[in-house]
């Protein structure tokens, strides 16, 4: 799984309909460039200081990595927007929510 890093990619995905889950928001758009999923992570300053934002981002990255092993993400671009609630959630719940959100997003694309 590749990473989205360019601002233009994040802005392109900001215009699509999102899947809202407790702890995060998942935005998905079909990718014309690759046959592999590309994922980007973002957490706004409103969610806390740098330490909190980095903890949220690390938890979400790991949840995506583990969810992708169980049920692979389809070939599309994904942006995960972190929320404070993801810090209080048990990690197993966060991981299950990520898999569920990815499945919903794939259904919307098809």
């Amino acid at each position: 799984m590749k990473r989205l890093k360019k601002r233009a990619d994040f802005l392109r995905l900001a215009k699509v309909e999102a899947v809202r889950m407790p702890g995060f928001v998942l935005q998905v758009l079909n990718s014309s460039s690759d046959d592999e999923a590309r994922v980007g992570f973002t957490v706004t300053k409103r969610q806390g200081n740098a330490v909190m934002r980095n903890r949220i981002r690390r938890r979400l990255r790991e949840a995506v990595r583990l969810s992708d092993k169980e049920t692979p993400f389809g070939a599309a671009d994904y942006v995960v927007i972190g929320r404070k609630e993801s810090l209080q959630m048990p990690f197993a719940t966060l991981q299950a929510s990520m898999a569920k959100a990815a499945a919903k997003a794939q259904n919307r694309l098809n």
Side-chain angles (χ1 to χ4, degrees):
M1 183 177 311
K2 293 183 180 179
R3 293 281 304 275
L4 288 177
K5 294 185 180 179
K6 296 187 190 253
R7 185 171 191 270
D9 291 332
F10 283 88
L11 292 176
R12 188 170 42 87
L13 274 110
K15 298 174 184 170
V16 301
E17 188 176 334
V19 177
R20 293 173 192 338
M21 301 296 282
F24 64 92
V25 176
L26 182 66
Q27 299 171 329
V28 181
L29 184 64
N30 271 336
S31 172
S32 59
S33 62
D34 273 338
D35 292 334
E36 187 177 2
R38 298 187 317 160
V39 182
F41 299 90
T42 185
V43 182
T44 63
K45 283 188 174 182
R46 192 179 343 166
Q47 304 306 318
N49 62 15
V51 174
M52 287 180 68
R53 293 192 311 266
N54 286 330
R55 283 188 62 212
I56 293 169
R57 201 174 295 114
R58 281 194 305 268
R59 283 176 62 95
L60 291 172
R61 266 198 313 258
E62 186 65 10
V64 166
R65 187 183 72 80
L66 294 175
S67 297
D68 187 45
K69 284 184 177 182
E70 293 175 9
T71 54
F73 284 44
D77 290 344
Y78 299 84
V79 169
V80 181
I81 302 170
R83 300 286 181 241
K84 280 185 208 176
E85 295 82 24
S86 64
L87 289 177
Q88 281 76 37
M89 295 173 74
F91 187 75
T93 306
L94 182 64
Q95 184 180 347
S97 293
M98 187 63 70
K100 186 176 177 181
K104 277 186 184 180
Q106 284 299 319
N107 288 339
R108 288 184 184 179
L109 289 177
N110 298 330

